[in-house]
Amino acid sequence: MREINYIVVHCTGGSPNETIPQLIAGFRSNGWKNNGYHIVVDGSGARHNITPLEQIANGVQGHNAKSVHVSYMGGKIVKGKGVDTRTDAQKAQLLSILRELRAKFPKAKIVGHRDFSPDKNGNGVIESFEWIKVCPCFDANKEYEKI
Ligand SMILES: [Zn+2]
């Protein structure tokens, strides 16, 4: 297994009802060989393991080698601000996943995507500059500090 320093929480920024094949097609249409996340929580709260943890996912450019990426389907920008669209089922599933990852990687920090500086010279970044700043549309650092 890789060394993991960060467990990064994301939102897809798409519809909560997007299917996993649609989500993965989106990564491929960006020219990505890898998926953007390891684990995705869909709109119903169901968990989908889309990338083995041993492999690298393209969640945050420059920080992927030592990160595990978890995302919920949803999250959106209204008037420049991120809106947390998580349902109770998604919140519960995220908690369960993060507790499991915390047990597996006790030294890793749980952070939100927006807690990383945006990559200004990168290529293959799925989000816009603004989106990087708001993803996952809530303060993951604070919400999960006790996990
Ligand atoms: Zn993100």
Side-chain angles (χ1 to χ4, degrees):
M1 184 58 206
R2 301 176 290 134
E3 179 188 351
I4 298 299
N5 291 342
Y6 295 104
I7 298 164
V8 189
V9 183
H10 298 262
C11 59
T12 59
S15 163
N17 302 316
E18 191 174 14
T19 66
I20 294 297
Q22 285 169 336
L23 182 71
I24 290 175
F27 299 138
R28 297 298 170 271
S29 73
N30 281 314
W32 292 7
K33 179 168 60 90
N34 299 346
N35 294 327
Y37 317 113
H38 292 90
I39 305 171
V40 176
V41 177
D42 72 20
S44 77
R47 167 185 180 153
H48 303 270
N49 299 326
I50 63 170
T51 306
L53 296 181
E54 292 78 9
Q55 294 175 16
I56 289 173
N58 289 354
V60 183
Q61 189 158 29
H63 296 277
N64 291 322
K66 296 185 176 178
S67 297
V68 166
H69 299 287
V70 181
S71 184
Y72 70 95
M73 283 192 173
K76 60 183 177 183
I77 293 180
V78 177
K79 292 181 180 164
K81 291 200 167 167
V83 177
D84 181 2
T85 63
R86 290 174 301 160
T87 63
D88 288 346
Q90 285 179 310
K91 286 181 184 176
Q93 182 65 266
L94 279 170
L95 262 184
S96 146
I97 291 166
L98 292 172
R99 286 189 178 125
E100 176 190 313
L101 293 173
R102 157 64 61 233
K104 205 171 271 190
F105 309 111
K107 289 180 187 162
K109 283 180 75 172
I110 299 177
V111 295
H113 186 173
R114 70 184 190 183
D115 298 317
F116 290 93
S117 300
D119 175 75
K120 289 177 180 166
N121 60 355
N123 45 21
V125 179
I126 197 170
E127 295 106 335
S128 71
F129 179 75
E130 290 79 16
W131 189 242
I132 286 171
K133 289 199 296 186
V134 299
C135 177
C137 296
F138 67 96
D139 191 347
N141 235 341
K142 190 169 194 305
E143 182 162 334
Y144 300 129
E145 67 187 351
K146 299 224 166 74
I147 291 184

